[in-house]
Amino acid sequence: MARVSGVLMPITSLPSPYGIGTIGKEARKFADFLKAAGQSIWQILPVGPTSYGDSPYQSFSTYAGNPYMIDLDTLVGEGLLTKRQINKFSWGDNVEEIDYGTIYQNRFQVLRLAYEKYKQGDDQRAFNSFKRKNAGWVKDYALYMAVKLSNDNKAWPEWEDEGIRLRDPKAINHYTRKLKNDIDFWKWLQFEFYKQWEDFRGYVNGLGIKILGDMPIYVAMDSADTWANPEVFWLDEERKPVCVAGCPPDYFSETGQLWGNPLYNWDYLKVNGYGWWMDRIAAADMLFDITRIDHFRAFDTYYAIPYGEETAMNGEWKIGPGIDFFNVMREKLGDIKIVAEDLGELFDSVKELLKDSGYPGMKVLEFAFSDDETNSFLPHNYTNNCVVYTGTHDNDTVLGWYSQIDGWEKKHCDTYLGIREDDEVNWVFIETAYKSVADYAIIQMQDILGLGSEARINVPSTLGGNWAWRMRKGAITKDITKRLYELSKTYSRLED
């Protein structure tokens, strides 16, 4: 394939007068910047509705879009809101940080005002068409959210009514009638999200830019997915997880990472042709041009931690579906464009699966400067079929990382990259990624802006303070745009 470059920038991190980035005007302005800077890829984080902790990797649904990303000014343009209604609410005091508590309290109040206005309209045909077309998931999601709200937002295993908790048909009919208006509200939010997304993606693609989306391999226990499809997951008779997901102690955490997501019942899935997964991947392909599968290694071997453990130290490795999964996927869905997140300690079998799949894996420059000359993250060890990053959303920014390393690692980094005292370290890293043989070079926006640790997106295995960084309006300058364009041109990453 052609050599290309791109930028990793969460939609929620875009500037906005309403506290969080959306798929409105600022998203289009960012796409314009990418075009002017010679970029071909816009990588984003997962776009599902977030739950407790605000992580995009813990969503209420694998299909639903995040209502926070619905652009309020677009709703004003549709006559469903007024500026005065929006400005009555607070959206936070810091333009460079998302205040999720404030957003949660106020965003849904504004969106309900828009929904009530929409209901007064005569033409519901587009909404009705959306509900019919997406009935396979939106009915369960909307009912789930409505029932959850009526249960003080408790996770479904904690719902007091056993009938609805276990999806008894009589209970489903009862709550569908009882909560009809709330259910339609949650459906309408998805109708509006997907309508705006289609316009947004059309604009981005029209500039010749592909959206690289992110699909977490696991779903949240507190989600419509596990509630509506318990047979897909490794649950006991009471629908509690037998084991949960995570990873053992590694670079990120001495006690491992306890994610807590339910694991899959791969035996059931294989017998059924991985149907649930095929539907999920097909839906991702409708949203994105390329899909990054988070924690790809779990298709080979996955880490199972007994439910109730307080750390990830006592888990064990289990065998996943392997290449059979991807053979079935190609047979059913054709050539879906995938990037495999293959970071962490990998068994040889995982590397073999990646090779057999043909998908590009990931290289992170911040991982390159250990005392191992065979380190696969060193650029001279790359193959073409990979994606190189300065860092990902789970890493510190380049400047934050560089300020904290010392000793042999810093000496190796300086020598390898030729860093001198007055160099702009972030741009040295960016150029190194661009000049590598990797087909894809994707840079965090914070590294392009030369920001420090204050702009880090996420610190794994921590709760609170993550996913909150926002780009300041006007941060992108003509000089930045020109520098990126020149690098793309110099290292043959401009697409025709």
Side-chain angles (χ1 to χ4, degrees):
M1 67 168 284
R3 290 164 57 81
V4 296
S5 57
V7 176
L8 169 55
M9 176 64 170
I11 290 170
T12 51
S13 294
L14 292 167
S16 166
Y18 310 125
I20 194 168
T22 72
I23 47 179
K25 179 181 177 182
E26 289 294 336
R28 286 162 175 75
K29 287 176 64 176
F30 190 79
D32 292 338
F33 151 70
L34 294 176
K35 176 67 174 179
Q39 306 300 296
S40 306
I41 304 287
W42 181 355
Q43 181 172 340
I44 58 177
L45 297 185
V47 296
T50 53
S51 59
Y52 177 72
D54 310 307
S55 170
Y57 295 90
Q58 297 284 349
S59 177
F60 292 130
S61 170
T62 61
Y63 292 92
N66 191 339
Y68 293 163
M69 295 183 189
I70 294 173
D71 185 60
L72 299 185
D73 286 334
T74 300
L75 297 181
V76 172
E78 294 175 356
L80 301 179
L81 286 174
T82 66
K83 286 277 194 177
R84 178 175 294 181
Q85 286 175 309
I86 298 171
N87 291 333
K88 283 182 180 179
F89 294 90
S90 168
W91 303 111
D93 299 323
N94 188 344
V95 296
E96 296 184 56
E97 184 174 301
I98 300 166
D99 182 343
Y100 281 103
T102 296
I103 296 293
Y104 176 76
Q105 290 296 324
N106 295 337
R107 197 61 161 234
F108 289 107
Q109 292 188 61
V110 170
L111 291 172
R112 281 191 181 269
L113 291 174
Y115 169 64
E116 293 300 325
K117 181 71 171 179
Y118 180 84
K119 282 199 307 180
Q120 298 172 15
D122 295 328
D123 190 354
Q124 305 280 314
R125 287 175 296 179
F127 184 28
N128 290 332
S129 175
F130 173 84
K131 288 188 286 186
R132 287 193 301 270
K133 183 178 179 181
N134 297 279
W137 66 268
V138 80
K139 285 174 64 177
D140 284 326
Y141 168 70
L143 175 60
Y144 178 82
M145 294 304 296
V147 175
K148 181 179 175 65
L149 190 63
S150 73
N151 278 268
D152 297 322
N153 279 318
K154 292 178 182 176
W156 69 266
E158 300 173 20
W159 293 349
E160 293 182 5
D161 185 339
E162 183 179 74
I164 192 62
R165 188 173 72 245
L166 301 181
R167 293 182 57 81
D168 179 82
K170 290 183 180 179
I172 287 178
N173 288 335
H174 168 72
Y175 282 96
T176 298
R177 293 192 301 270
K178 178 182 177 182
L179 301 175
K180 183 181 185 307
N181 189 58
D182 275 353
I183 291 169
D184 265 356
F185 168 66
W186 290 105
K187 289 179 179 178
W188 178 81
L189 289 179
Q190 292 310 305
F191 164 67
E192 192 64 41
F193 173 88
Y194 273 88
K195 182 172 64 173
Q196 290 194 14
W197 184 271
E198 186 175 349
D199 289 343
F200 159 69
R201 182 179 176 185
Y203 185 87
V204 174
N205 288 168
L207 296 174
I209 297 164
K210 295 180 175 64
I211 296 174
L212 200 171
D214 199 332
M215 185 173 70
I217 189 170
Y218 294 121
V219 305
M221 186 65 189
D222 183 14
S223 70
D225 305 290
T226 52
W227 175 66
N229 307 279
E231 68 282 356
V232 168
F233 303 93
W234 190 10
L235 308 179
D236 64 20
E237 293 180 356
E238 298 179 359
R239 299 193 181 175
K240 293 180 180 178
V242 177
C243 289
V244 296
C247 65
D250 61 6
Y251 173 89
F252 290 115
S253 173
E254 293 181 357
T255 58
Q257 297 180 46
L258 178 61
W259 301 330
N261 307 74
L263 297 168
Y264 294 107
N265 182 345
W266 284 116
D267 291 337
Y268 167 86
L269 284 163
K270 183 172 183 177
V271 168
N272 289 275
Y274 308 108
W276 181 89
W277 259 102
M278 296 302 109
D279 291 343
R280 184 186 180 194
I281 291 173
D285 194 52
M286 293 291 290
L287 276 176
F288 314 127
D289 301 296
I290 310 167
T291 300
R292 171 190 179 271
I293 298 181
D294 184 59
H295 202 59
F296 177 86
R297 69 150 305 138
F299 288 102
D300 175 76
T301 41
Y302 59 93
Y303 197 62
I305 305 161
Y307 180 64
E309 289 283 329
E310 294 184 359
T311 74
M313 298 182 72
N314 295 321
E316 61 176 320
W317 291 104
K318 301 282 186 179
I319 303 298
I323 195 63
D324 180 62
F325 178 92
F326 298 102
N327 290 338
V328 171
M329 189 179 87
R330 284 194 169 96
E331 180 182 330
K332 291 188 174 183
L333 303 179
D335 187 22
I336 302 288
K337 293 190 179 301
I338 299 290
V339 167
E341 186 272 289
D342 60 336
L343 304 177
E345 295 294 329
L346 304 181
F347 303 148
D348 289 341
S349 58
V350 182
K351 298 174 184 176
E352 192 67 26
L353 175 62
L354 181 64
K355 181 180 177 181
D356 290 345
S357 74
Y359 301 136
M362 293 173 54
K363 306 297 181 185
V364 180
L365 286 175
E366 289 183 17
F367 293 160
F369 305 105
S370 68
D371 57 0
D372 180 5
E373 64 182 18
T374 66
N375 187 326
S376 64
F377 297 108
L378 283 166
H380 70 264
N381 289 325
Y382 294 175
T383 61
N384 299 109
N385 191 33
C386 69
V387 188
V388 59
Y389 297 83
T390 47
T392 76
H393 62 274
D394 281 334
N395 300 113
D396 203 342
T397 66
V398 161
L399 293 187
W401 172 84
Y402 187 77
S403 70
Q404 296 174 42
I405 62 170
D406 55 21
W408 199 93
E409 186 176 21
K410 186 174 187 302
K411 182 179 179 181
H412 185 23
C413 175
D414 288 348
T415 302
Y416 189 95
L417 299 181
I419 295 175
R420 297 183 297 271
E421 185 175 348
D422 295 331
D423 282 342
E424 297 172 281
V425 172
N426 55 315
W427 284 101
V428 173
F429 270 74
I430 293 169
E431 183 167 5
T432 300
Y434 273 54
K435 71 169 64 170
S436 76
V437 299
D439 287 334
Y440 297 79
I442 296 179
I443 312 299
Q444 280 201 101
M445 191 64 208
Q446 301 97 302
D447 291 337
I448 293 169
L449 297 175
L451 301 178
S453 298
E454 74 283 353
R456 182 171 183 167
I457 288 283
N458 180 48
V459 180
S461 296
T462 65
L463 189 64
N466 295 318
W467 319 109
W469 174 73
R470 296 174 65 201
M471 182 173 69
R472 177 175 47 82
K473 190 175 179 66
I476 300 173
T477 64
K478 291 182 179 179
D479 179 61
I480 286 172
T481 306
K482 182 179 179 182
R483 290 180 81 169
L484 279 179
Y485 181 88
E486 290 299 327
L487 285 176
S488 291
K489 182 179 179 181
T490 299
Y491 297 110
S492 302
R493 294 190 180 276
L494 292 178
E495 281 202 312
D496 295 334

